[in-house]
């Protein structure tokens, strides 16, 4: 590993410390290096807080003059909640800036690097670019599409069942897998289930196994079947019920429990995802963790709306034609039409397995829930 790669990898390690706290801003880490030695570090810890570069340069002080700065994302060149980082870098006397990838935000894209070069700062681009783009895959997707990055999580038996024929599902996977799910909730701005999952499992959908911010809880409930006593309406996080129509009395009862009710156009009698996702994106929801059930999973997959899969497998076989599978719906009639994914990671979590995959191609949006 070269010296630039080593320090850039450290910048990305720092950036990950802000996961869940900076949204909808990206994850950014910065390292100030002089004569091959780290003299200061920083990372963007929370939305509205100091940027990674500013923190690292403040800590470096006079030592920043003539030093190198490693940062995984292009420094900003505009005023937002904080001053432009490019100006701060120039004023600090940094000699060379090594950047992994440009910022796709139109307010930044290329402008920060242009300002640095115009001031005589040497700029090196593309060090560990692919890793840096993966690190900020959520931000890149949201800033380009204004829709949330959709992750689909399924916890299944080895034969792909999410419950027994009697509806029992706790617990197919073990404690380490459940902890990882809570980490995923922390990393996403919102978590979503269908009302059938609420009725069958009564989940809380909160972060409990790890520390971190609580995601917005979303229930797809086309006709207002969510019980007022459901745990998803409990304290600890906000809850949005996305519906098409709802009796007035039911709506009043749910609002009294603290739920926010929003109506969306219907498609085949269900909430149209093509309307829901842009609505969420416009409100700063940059990432969405879809947790079930099978019909909801099918709606997202068949519409080509999934950007990432998290498949947790417990070491058991459930069997039975009436046991629900991880993905329901009508299914694809031909293998040529099936949604195909590229496996990016296989990890053992205690006795369970986690498979992480990305779509090989995006299908035309035609989804509804």
């Amino acid at each position: 590993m070269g010296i630039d790669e080593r320090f850039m990898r450290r910048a990305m390690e720092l950036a990950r410390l802000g996961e869940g706290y900076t949204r909808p801003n990206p994850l950014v880490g910065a390292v100030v290096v002089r004569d091959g030695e780290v003299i200061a570090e920083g990372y963007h810890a929370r939305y509205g807080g100091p940027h990674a570069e500013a923190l690292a340069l403040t800590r470096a002080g006079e030592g920043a003059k003539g030093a190198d700065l490693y940062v995984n994302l292009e420094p900003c060149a505009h005023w937002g909640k904080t001053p432009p980082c490019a100006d701060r870098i120039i004023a600090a006397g940094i000699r060379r800036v090594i950047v992994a990838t440009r910022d796709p935000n139109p307010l930044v894209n290329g402008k920060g690097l242009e300002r640095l070069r115009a001031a005589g700062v040497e700029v090196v681009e593309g060090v560990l670019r692919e890793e840096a783009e993966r690190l900020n895959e959520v931000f890149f997707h949201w800033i380009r599409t204004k829709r949330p990055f959709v992750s689909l999580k399924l916890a299944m038996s080895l034969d792909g069942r999410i419950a027994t024929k009697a509806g029992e599902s706790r617990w197919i996977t073990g404690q380490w897998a459940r902890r990882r799910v809570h980490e995923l909730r922390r990393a996403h701005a919102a978590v979503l289930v269908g009302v059938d999952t609420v009725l069958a499992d009564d989940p809380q959908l909160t972060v409990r196994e790890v520390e971190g911010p609580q995601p917005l809880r979303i229930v797809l409930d086309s006709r207002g079947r969510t019980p007022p006593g459901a745990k998803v309406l409990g304290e600890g996080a906000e809850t949005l019920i996305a519906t098409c129509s709802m009796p007035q009395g039911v709506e009043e009862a749910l609002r009294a429990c603290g739920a926010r009710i929003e109506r969306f156009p219907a498609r085949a009698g269900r909430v149209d995802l093509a309307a829901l996702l842009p609505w969420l994106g416009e409100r700063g929801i940059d990432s969405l963790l879809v947790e079930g059930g099978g019909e909801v999973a099918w709606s997202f997959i068949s519409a080509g709306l999934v950007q990432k899969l998290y498949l947790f497998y417990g070491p058991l076989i459930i069997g039975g034609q009436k046991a629900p599978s991880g993905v329901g719906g009508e299914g694809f009639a031909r293998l040529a039409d099936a949604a195909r994914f590229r496996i990016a990671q296989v990890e053992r979590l205690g006795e369970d397995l986690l498979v992480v995959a990305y779509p090989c191609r995006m299908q035309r949006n035609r989804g509804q829930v």
Side-chain angles (χ1 to χ4, degrees):
M1 183 191 304
I3 188 170
D4 284 350
E5 289 78 8
R6 177 161 62 92
F7 291 128
M8 186 61 72
R9 189 153 282 123
R10 175 57 184 165
M12 287 191 282
E13 289 175 357
L14 292 166
R16 289 188 183 93
L17 297 176
E19 188 176 58
Y21 296 92
T22 67
R23 68 173 71 103
N25 280 354
L27 302 172
V28 184
V31 180
V32 181
V33 176
R34 176 186 286 279
D35 299 327
E37 298 291 335
V38 175
I39 62 172
E41 297 179 335
Y43 71 95
H44 187 36
R46 60 179 178 82
Y47 177 72
H51 286 191
E53 303 95 316
L55 278 174
L57 292 172
T58 297
R59 291 166 180 166
E62 290 298 315
K65 292 183 178 180
D68 296 339
L69 175 68
Y70 291 81
V71 59
N72 59 287
L73 191 68
E74 175 184 6
C76 62
H78 67 288
W79 277 85
K81 290 185 176 294
T82 60
C85 288
D87 292 350
R88 180 73 174 83
I89 293 168
I90 294 167
I94 287 289
R95 176 183 69 90
R96 189 172 70 121
V97 174
I98 301 89
V99 176
T101 181
R102 293 193 177 196
D103 188 335
N105 186 341
L107 296 174
V108 182
N109 196 354
K111 298 180 178 67
L113 301 184
E114 290 175 5
R115 185 170 299 184
L116 292 174
R117 288 187 171 113
V121 178
E122 179 184 351
V123 175
V124 178
E125 293 186 63
V127 176
L128 300 183
R129 175 184 286 118
E130 291 185 5
E131 292 183 34
E133 290 176 350
R134 187 68 69 204
L135 171 68
N136 273 308
E137 60 189 2
V138 165
F139 173 74
F140 278 36
H141 177 84
W142 176 74
I143 203 70
R144 287 168 173 160
T145 68
K146 288 305 178 184
R147 294 187 175 202
F149 183 97
V150 176
S151 302
L152 173 62
K153 164 256 164 183
L154 296 171
M156 303 177 289
S157 61
L158 292 176
D159 57 337
R161 307 295 181 175
I162 59 174
T164 68
K165 63 182 181 181
E168 184 181 352
S169 61
R170 295 183 178 175
W171 295 100
I172 290 176
T173 54
Q175 62 177 346
W176 294 109
R178 292 196 294 274
R179 179 182 174 87
R180 180 60 62 84
V181 170
H182 283 247
E183 292 174 350
L184 290 176
R185 289 177 184 172
R186 176 181 63 187
H188 288 76
V191 56
L192 178 148
V193 297
V195 67
D196 287 339
T197 296
V198 172
L199 295 171
D201 298 337
D202 197 19
Q204 290 179 256
L205 301 181
T206 54
V207 176
R208 301 183 303 279
E209 297 288 334
V210 296
E211 292 184 1
Q214 297 291 347
L216 171 68
R217 299 175 294 193
I218 302 174
V219 178
L220 295 177
D221 184 359
S222 302
R223 300 184 301 278
R225 294 189 291 144
T226 302
K231 291 179 181 177
V232 75
L233 302 176
E235 296 181 357
E238 296 181 1
T239 302
L240 167 69
I241 297 180
T243 188
C244 301
S245 63
M246 185 178 292
Q248 185 64 32
V250 173
E251 180 173 345
E252 291 175 355
L254 292 174
R255 289 187 186 277
C257 294
R260 176 177 180 178
I261 312 298
E262 291 290 342
R263 285 174 168 77
F264 295 91
R267 185 169 182 178
R270 298 177 176 180
V271 173
D272 189 353
L273 298 181
L276 174 64
L277 292 182
W279 186 90
L280 292 172
E282 290 169 0
R283 286 155 180 80
I285 303 298
D286 64 355
S287 50
L288 177 66
L289 179 64
V290 178
E291 291 204 30
E295 296 303 311
V296 170
W298 166 252
S299 294
F300 276 89
I301 287 178
S302 62
L305 297 175
V306 175
Q307 278 74 56
K308 195 170 188 177
L309 284 180
Y310 291 94
L311 306 178
F312 294 84
Y313 289 97
L316 68 162
I317 299 290
I318 293 177
Q321 292 182 349
K322 294 184 179 180
S325 63
V327 181
E330 62 186 34
F332 295 104
R334 302 189 310 151
L335 287 178
D337 296 330
R340 295 186 178 273
F341 291 80
R342 172 182 59 82
I343 295 177
Q345 175 186 345
V346 178
E347 181 181 353
R348 184 154 188 170
L349 299 171
E351 295 184 347
D352 304 321
L353 287 179
L354 168 60
V355 176
V356 180
Y358 292 92
C360 293
R361 58 184 173 86
M362 300 305 295
Q363 294 179 310
R364 179 173 59 88
N365 289 357
R366 55 179 184 279
Q368 66 274 345
V369 169

Coordinates of all heavy atoms in Angstrom, one line a residue, residues 295-357:
E295 N -44.7 -8.9 0.7 CA -45.3 -8.1 -0.3 C -44.7 -6.8 -0.6 O -44.5 -6.3 -1.7 CB -46.8 -8.0 0.0 CG -47.6 -9.2 0.1 CD -47.6 -10.0 -1.2 OE1 -47.8 -9.4 -2.2 OE2 -47.3 -11.2 -1.1
V296 N -44.2 -6.2 0.5 CA -43.5 -4.9 0.4 C -42.2 -5.1 -0.3 O -41.8 -4.3 -1.2 CB -43.3 -4.3 1.8 CG1 -42.4 -3.1 1.7 CG2 -44.6 -3.8 2.4
A297 N -41.5 -6.2 0.1 CA -40.2 -6.5 -0.6 C -40.4 -6.7 -2.1 O -39.6 -6.2 -2.9 CB -39.6 -7.7 0.0
W298 N -41.4 -7.4 -2.5 CA -41.7 -7.6 -3.9 C -42.0 -6.3 -4.6 O -41.5 -6.1 -5.7 CB -42.9 -8.6 -4.1 CG -43.5 -8.6 -5.5 CD1 -44.7 -8.0 -5.9 CD2 -42.9 -9.1 -6.6 NE1 -44.8 -8.2 -7.2 CE2 -43.7 -8.9 -7.7 CE3 -41.7 -9.8 -6.9 CZ2 -43.4 -9.3 -9.0 CZ3 -41.4 -10.2 -8.2 CH2 -42.2 -9.9 -9.2
S299 N -42.8 -5.4 -4.0 CA -43.1 -4.2 -4.6 C -41.9 -3.3 -4.9 O -41.7 -2.8 -6.0 CB -44.1 -3.4 -3.7 OG -45.3 -4.0 -3.6
F300 N -40.9 -3.3 -4.0 CA -39.7 -2.5 -4.2 C -38.8 -3.2 -5.2 O -38.2 -2.6 -6.1 CB -38.9 -2.4 -2.9 CG -39.4 -1.2 -2.1 CD1 -40.4 -1.3 -1.2 CD2 -38.8 0.1 -2.2 CE1 -40.9 -0.3 -0.4 CE2 -39.2 1.1 -1.5 CZ -40.3 1.0 -0.6
I301 N -38.6 -4.6 -5.1 CA -37.8 -5.3 -6.1 C -38.3 -5.3 -7.5 O -37.6 -5.0 -8.4 CB -37.5 -6.7 -5.6 CG1 -36.6 -6.7 -4.3 CG2 -36.9 -7.6 -6.7 CD1 -36.4 -8.1 -3.7
S302 N -39.6 -5.6 -7.6 CA -40.2 -5.6 -9.0 C -40.2 -4.3 -9.7 O -40.2 -4.2 -10.9 CB -41.6 -6.2 -8.9 OG -42.4 -5.3 -8.1
A303 N -40.2 -3.2 -8.9 CA -40.1 -1.9 -9.5 C -38.7 -1.4 -9.7 O -38.5 -0.3 -10.2 CB -40.9 -0.9 -8.5
G304 N -37.7 -2.2 -9.3 CA -36.3 -1.7 -9.5 C -35.9 -0.6 -8.6 O -35.1 0.3 -9.0
L305 N -36.5 -0.6 -7.4 CA -36.2 0.6 -6.5 C -35.3 0.2 -5.4 O -35.1 1.1 -4.5 CB -37.6 1.0 -5.9 CG -38.6 1.6 -6.9 CD1 -39.9 1.8 -6.1 CD2 -38.1 2.8 -7.6
V306 N -34.7 -0.9 -5.4 CA -33.7 -1.3 -4.4 C -32.3 -1.0 -4.8 O -31.9 -1.5 -5.9 CB -33.9 -2.8 -4.0 CG1 -32.8 -3.3 -3.0 CG2 -35.3 -3.1 -3.5
Q307 N -31.6 -0.3 -4.0 CA -30.2 0.0 -4.3 C -29.2 -1.0 -3.6 O -28.1 -1.1 -4.0 CB -29.8 1.4 -3.9 CG -30.2 2.5 -4.9 CD -31.7 2.8 -4.9 OE1 -32.3 3.1 -3.9 NE2 -32.3 2.6 -6.1
K308 N -29.7 -1.7 -2.5 CA -28.8 -2.6 -1.8 C -29.6 -3.6 -1.1 O -30.7 -3.3 -0.5 CB -27.9 -1.8 -0.8 CG -26.7 -2.5 -0.2 CD -25.8 -1.5 0.5 CE -24.5 -2.1 1.0 NZ -23.6 -1.1 1.6
L309 N -29.1 -4.8 -1.0 CA -29.7 -5.9 -0.3 C -28.9 -6.3 1.0 O -27.7 -6.4 0.9 CB -29.9 -7.1 -1.2 CG -30.9 -7.2 -2.2 CD1 -30.9 -8.5 -3.0 CD2 -32.3 -7.0 -1.6
Y310 N -29.6 -6.5 2.1 CA -29.0 -7.1 3.3 C -29.8 -8.4 3.6 O -30.9 -8.3 4.1 CB -29.0 -6.2 4.5 CG -28.1 -5.0 4.3 CD1 -28.6 -3.8 3.8 CD2 -26.8 -5.0 4.7 CE1 -27.8 -2.6 3.7 CE2 -26.0 -3.9 4.6 CZ -26.5 -2.7 4.1 OH -25.7 -1.6 4.0
L311 N -29.2 -9.5 3.3 CA -29.9 -10.8 3.5 C -29.3 -11.6 4.6 O -28.1 -12.0 4.6 CB -29.9 -11.7 2.2 CG -30.4 -11.0 0.9 CD1 -30.2 -11.9 -0.3 CD2 -31.8 -10.5 1.1
F312 N -30.1 -11.7 5.7 CA -29.6 -12.4 6.9 C -30.2 -13.8 6.9 O -31.4 -14.0 6.8 CB -30.0 -11.7 8.2 CG -29.4 -10.3 8.4 CD1 -30.0 -9.2 7.8 CD2 -28.3 -10.2 9.2 CE1 -29.4 -8.0 8.0 CE2 -27.7 -8.9 9.4 CZ -28.3 -7.8 8.8
Y313 N -29.3 -14.8 7.0 CA -29.7 -16.2 7.0 C -29.5 -16.9 8.3 O -28.3 -16.9 8.8 CB -29.0 -17.0 5.8 CG -29.5 -16.6 4.5 CD1 -28.8 -15.7 3.7 CD2 -30.6 -17.2 3.9 CE1 -29.2 -15.3 2.4 CE2 -31.0 -16.8 2.6 CZ -30.3 -15.9 1.9 OH -30.7 -15.5 0.6
G314 N -30.5 -17.5 8.9 CA -30.4 -18.3 10.1 C -30.2 -19.7 9.7 O -30.8 -20.2 8.7
P315 N -29.4 -20.5 10.5 CA -29.1 -21.9 10.1 C -30.3 -22.9 10.4 O -30.1 -23.8 11.2 CB -27.9 -22.2 10.9 CG -28.1 -21.4 12.1 CD -28.7 -20.1 11.7
L316 N -31.4 -22.7 9.7 CA -32.5 -23.6 9.9 C -33.3 -23.7 8.7 O -33.3 -22.8 7.8 CB -33.4 -23.2 11.1 CG -34.2 -21.9 11.0 CD1 -35.3 -21.9 12.1 CD2 -33.4 -20.6 11.1
I317 N -34.1 -24.8 8.5 CA -35.0 -25.0 7.4 C -36.4 -25.0 8.0 O -36.7 -25.8 9.0 CB -34.7 -26.4 6.7 CG1 -33.3 -26.4 6.1 CG2 -35.8 -26.6 5.7 CD1 -33.1 -25.5 5.0
I318 N -37.3 -24.2 7.5 CA -38.7 -24.1 8.0 C -39.6 -25.0 7.1 O -40.4 -25.8 7.6 CB -39.1 -22.7 8.0 CG1 -38.3 -21.9 9.1 CG2 -40.6 -22.6 8.3 CD1 -38.6 -20.5 9.2
G319 N -39.5 -24.8 5.8 CA -40.4 -25.6 4.9 C -41.8 -25.2 4.9 O -42.2 -24.3 5.7
G320 N -42.6 -25.9 4.1 CA -44.0 -25.6 4.1 C -44.5 -24.7 3.0 O -43.9 -23.6 2.9
Q321 N -45.5 -25.1 2.3 CA -46.0 -24.2 1.2 C -46.6 -22.9 1.8 O -46.7 -21.9 1.1 CB -46.9 -25.0 0.3 CG -46.3 -26.1 -0.5 CD -47.3 -26.8 -1.4 OE1 -48.5 -26.6 -1.3 NE2 -46.8 -27.6 -2.3
K322 N -47.1 -23.0 3.0 CA -47.8 -21.9 3.5 C -46.9 -21.0 4.4 O -47.4 -19.9 4.9 CB -49.0 -22.4 4.4 CG -50.1 -23.1 3.6 CD -51.3 -23.4 4.4 CE -52.4 -24.1 3.6 NZ -53.6 -24.5 4.4
A323 N -45.7 -21.4 4.5 CA -44.8 -20.5 5.3 C -44.3 -19.4 4.3 O -43.9 -19.6 3.2 CB -43.5 -21.3 5.7
P324 N -44.5 -18.1 4.8 CA -44.2 -17.0 3.9 C -42.7 -16.9 3.5 O -41.8 -17.1 4.3 CB -44.6 -15.8 4.7 CG -44.6 -16.2 6.1 CD -44.9 -17.7 6.1
S325 N -42.4 -16.5 2.3 CA -41.1 -16.4 1.8 C -40.6 -14.9 1.9 O -41.5 -14.0 2.2 CB -41.0 -16.8 0.3 OG -41.8 -16.0 -0.5
G326 N -39.3 -14.7 1.8 CA -38.8 -13.3 2.0 C -39.4 -12.4 1.0 O -39.6 -11.2 1.3
V327 N -39.6 -12.8 -0.2 CA -40.2 -12.0 -1.3 C -41.5 -12.6 -1.8 O -41.4 -13.8 -2.2 CB -39.2 -11.7 -2.4 CG1 -39.8 -10.8 -3.5 CG2 -37.9 -11.2 -1.9
G328 N -42.6 -11.9 -1.7 CA -43.9 -12.5 -2.1 C -44.3 -12.0 -3.5 O -43.4 -12.0 -4.4
G329 N -45.5 -11.5 -3.6 CA -45.9 -11.0 -4.9 C -46.2 -12.1 -5.9 O -46.2 -13.3 -5.6
E330 N -46.4 -11.7 -7.1 CA -46.7 -12.6 -8.2 C -45.4 -13.3 -8.7 O -45.5 -14.3 -9.4 CB -47.4 -11.9 -9.3 CG -46.6 -10.8 -10.0 CD -47.5 -10.0 -11.0 OE1 -48.7 -9.8 -10.8 OE2 -46.9 -9.6 -12.0
G331 N -44.3 -12.7 -8.5 CA -43.0 -13.2 -9.0 C -42.8 -13.0 -10.5 O -43.7 -12.6 -11.2
F332 N -41.6 -13.2 -10.9 CA -41.3 -13.1 -12.3 C -41.6 -14.4 -13.1 O -41.3 -15.5 -12.6 CB -39.8 -12.7 -12.5 CG -39.5 -11.4 -11.9 CD1 -38.8 -11.2 -10.7 CD2 -39.8 -10.2 -12.6 CE1 -38.4 -10.0 -10.2 CE2 -39.5 -8.9 -12.1 CZ -38.8 -8.9 -10.9
A333 N -42.2 -14.3 -14.2 CA -42.5 -15.5 -15.0 C -41.4 -16.1 -15.7 O -41.3 -17.3 -15.9 CB -43.6 -15.1 -16.0
R334 N -40.4 -15.2 -16.0 CA -39.2 -15.7 -16.8 C -37.9 -15.4 -16.0 O -37.8 -14.3 -15.5 CB -39.2 -15.1 -18.2 CG -40.4 -15.4 -19.0 CD -40.2 -14.9 -20.5 NE -39.7 -13.6 -20.5 CZ -38.8 -13.1 -21.5 NH1 -38.5 -13.9 -22.5 NH2 -38.4 -11.9 -21.5
L335 N -37.0 -16.3 -16.1 CA -35.7 -16.0 -15.5 C -35.0 -14.7 -16.1 O -34.3 -14.0 -15.4 CB -34.8 -17.2 -15.6 CG -35.1 -18.4 -14.7 CD1 -34.1 -19.5 -15.0 CD2 -35.0 -18.0 -13.2
A336 N -35.3 -14.5 -17.4 CA -34.7 -13.4 -18.1 C -35.2 -12.1 -17.5 O -34.5 -11.1 -17.6 CB -35.0 -13.5 -19.6
D337 N -36.4 -12.1 -16.9 CA -36.9 -10.9 -16.3 C -36.6 -10.7 -14.8 O -36.9 -9.7 -14.2 CB -38.5 -10.9 -16.4 CG -38.9 -10.9 -17.9 OD1 -38.2 -10.3 -18.7 OD2 -40.0 -11.4 -18.2
A338 N -36.0 -11.7 -14.2 CA -35.8 -11.7 -12.7 C -34.8 -10.6 -12.4 O -33.9 -10.2 -13.2 CB -35.2 -13.1 -12.3
A339 N -35.0 -10.0 -11.2 CA -34.0 -9.0 -10.7 C -32.7 -9.7 -10.3 O -32.7 -10.6 -9.5 CB -34.7 -8.3 -9.5
R340 N -31.7 -9.3 -10.9 CA -30.4 -9.9 -10.7 C -29.5 -9.0 -9.8 O -29.5 -7.7 -10.0 CB -29.7 -10.2 -12.0 CG -30.4 -11.3 -12.8 CD -29.7 -11.7 -14.0 NE -30.4 -12.8 -14.7 CZ -30.4 -14.1 -14.4 NH1 -29.5 -14.5 -13.5 NH2 -31.1 -14.9 -15.1
F341 N -28.7 -9.6 -8.9 CA -27.9 -8.8 -8.0 C -26.4 -9.4 -8.0 O -26.2 -10.6 -8.3 CB -28.4 -8.9 -6.6 CG -29.7 -8.2 -6.4 CD1 -30.9 -8.7 -6.8 CD2 -29.7 -6.9 -5.9 CE1 -32.1 -8.0 -6.7 CE2 -30.9 -6.2 -5.7 CZ -32.1 -6.8 -6.1
R342 N -25.5 -8.5 -7.7 CA -24.1 -8.9 -7.6 C -23.7 -8.9 -6.1 O -23.9 -8.0 -5.3 CB -23.2 -7.8 -8.3 CG -21.7 -8.0 -8.0 CD -21.0 -6.8 -8.7 NE -21.4 -5.5 -8.2 CZ -20.9 -5.0 -7.1 NH1 -20.0 -5.7 -6.4 NH2 -21.3 -3.8 -6.8
I343 N -23.3 -10.1 -5.7 CA -22.9 -10.3 -4.3 C -21.6 -9.5 -4.0 O -20.6 -9.8 -4.6 CB -22.8 -11.8 -3.9 CG1 -24.1 -12.5 -4.0 CG2 -22.2 -11.9 -2.5 CD1 -24.1 -13.9 -3.8
A344 N -21.6 -8.6 -3.0 CA -20.5 -7.8 -2.7 C -19.8 -8.3 -1.4 O -18.6 -8.0 -1.3 CB -20.9 -6.4 -2.6
Q345 N -20.5 -9.0 -0.6 CA -19.9 -9.3 0.7 C -20.7 -10.5 1.3 O -21.9 -10.5 1.2 CB -20.0 -8.1 1.7 CG -19.6 -8.3 3.1 CD -19.8 -7.1 4.0 OE1 -20.1 -6.0 3.5 NE2 -19.8 -7.3 5.3
V346 N -20.0 -11.4 1.9 CA -20.6 -12.5 2.7 C -19.9 -12.5 4.1 O -18.6 -12.6 4.1 CB -20.4 -13.8 2.0 CG1 -21.0 -15.0 2.9 CG2 -21.1 -13.8 0.7
E347 N -20.6 -12.4 5.1 CA -20.1 -12.2 6.5 C -20.7 -13.2 7.5 O -22.0 -13.3 7.4 CB -20.2 -10.8 7.0 CG -19.7 -10.5 8.3 CD -19.9 -9.0 8.7 OE1 -20.4 -8.2 7.9 OE2 -19.6 -8.7 9.9
R348 N -20.0 -13.8 8.3 CA -20.5 -14.6 9.4 C -20.8 -13.8 10.6 O -19.9 -13.1 11.1 CB -19.6 -15.8 9.7 CG -20.2 -16.8 10.7 CD -19.6 -18.1 10.5 NE -20.3 -19.1 11.3 CZ -20.1 -20.4 11.3 NH1 -19.2 -20.9 10.4 NH2 -20.8 -21.2 12.0
L349 N -22.0 -13.9 11.1 CA -22.4 -13.2 12.4 C -22.9 -14.3 13.4 O -24.0 -14.7 13.4 CB -23.6 -12.3 12.1 CG -23.3 -11.1 11.1 CD1 -24.5 -10.4 10.7 CD2 -22.2 -10.2 11.7
G350 N -22.0 -14.8 14.2 CA -22.3 -15.9 15.1 C -22.6 -17.1 14.2 O -21.7 -17.5 13.4
E351 N -23.8 -17.7 14.4 CA -24.1 -18.8 13.6 C -24.9 -18.4 12.3 O -25.2 -19.3 11.5 CB -25.0 -19.8 14.4 CG -24.3 -20.4 15.6 CD -25.3 -21.4 16.3 OE1 -26.5 -21.4 16.0 OE2 -24.7 -22.1 17.2
D352 N -25.1 -17.2 12.1 CA -25.8 -16.7 10.9 C -24.9 -16.2 9.8 O -23.7 -16.0 10.1 CB -26.8 -15.5 11.3 CG -27.7 -15.9 12.4 OD1 -28.2 -17.1 12.4 OD2 -28.0 -15.1 13.3
L353 N -25.5 -16.0 8.7 CA -24.7 -15.4 7.5 C -25.4 -14.1 7.1 O -26.7 -14.0 7.1 CB -24.7 -16.4 6.4 CG -23.8 -17.6 6.5 CD1 -23.9 -18.5 5.2 CD2 -22.3 -17.2 6.7
L354 N -24.6 -13.2 6.7 CA -25.1 -11.9 6.1 C -24.6 -11.8 4.7 O -23.4 -11.9 4.5 CB -24.7 -10.7 6.9 CG -24.9 -9.3 6.2 CD1 -26.4 -9.1 5.9 CD2 -24.3 -8.2 7.1
V355 N -25.5 -11.7 3.7 CA -25.1 -11.5 2.3 C -25.5 -10.1 1.9 O -26.7 -9.7 2.1 CB -25.8 -12.5 1.4 CG1 -25.4 -12.2 -0.1 CG2 -25.3 -13.9 1.7
V356 N -24.5 -9.3 1.4 CA -24.8 -8.0 0.9 C -24.6 -8.0 -0.6 O -23.7 -8.5 -1.1 CB -23.8 -7.0 1.6 CG1 -24.1 -5.5 1.1 CG2 -23.9 -7.0 3.1
A357 N -25.6 -7.4 -1.3 CA -25.6 -7.4 -2.7 C -26.1 -6.1 -3.3 O -26.9 -5.4 -2.6 CB -26.4 -8.6 -3.2

